Amino acid sequence: MMTGSVRQGGYPTSGDAGASPEQRVTEWSGDHLADPATAGPDPDGELGVDPAELTDEDLIREMHSLHRTRLDTLRHAADSALAHHLRRTAELETEYLARHPGREVDPSRLRDE
């Protein structure tokens, strides 16, 4: 059985088709709009170590952890957890790309355009 969208209360349902999930986080309704004082353990809204402070090994480990839990988070987590997951993934991947701008691209992963 399919359920309806979780978006409610005047938020656009189509959004920008070209926007990434991270950019569309504010379209979702639910507990991510809760009072920040009750939203989690960190009153400043920052969860996790700044990616720039992580060693390469720790950065890779953190990305593995997020990617391992991605589908479960997308399908079953509260909106606040999904929003945090999206933000944290973007932070870690951005840091990785900044450290490795000339990363090796596997030719078998390329598509003919």
Side-chain angles (χ1 to χ4, degrees):
M1 178 174 157
M2 296 194 57
T3 60
S5 172
V6 295
R7 294 181 219 156
Q8 303 170 352
Y11 291 103
T13 56
S14 60
D16 178 3
S20 71
E22 295 85 1
Q23 293 167 322
R24 294 192 319 260
V25 165
T26 58
E27 292 180 13
W28 300 328
S29 66
D31 57 355
H32 70 283
L33 299 175
D35 179 2
T38 62
D42 186 349
D44 297 327
E46 295 182 23
L47 298 172
V49 175
D50 180 353
E53 296 177 12
L54 296 171
T55 65
D56 282 350
E57 183 180 318
D58 290 337
L59 181 63
I60 296 293
R61 187 191 72 244
E62 289 292 315
M63 288 191 302
H64 272 289
S65 177
L66 284 169
H67 286 272
R68 187 179 60 250
T69 60
R70 175 74 178 130
L71 183 59
D72 190 55
T73 302
L74 177 64
R75 293 184 65 209
H76 304 294
D79 285 347
S80 59
L82 178 58
H84 172 69
H85 194 277
L86 291 168
R87 276 191 307 275
R88 187 64 174 167
T89 300
E91 291 171 357
L92 294 169
E93 290 179 350
T94 298
E95 178 64 23
Y96 179 83
L97 292 172
R99 291 184 192 186
H100 305 281
R103 70 192 196 290
E104 184 177 328
V105 176
D106 182 350
S108 69
R109 305 278 317 231
L110 299 175
R111 297 181 183 169
D112 293 330
E113 292 187 35

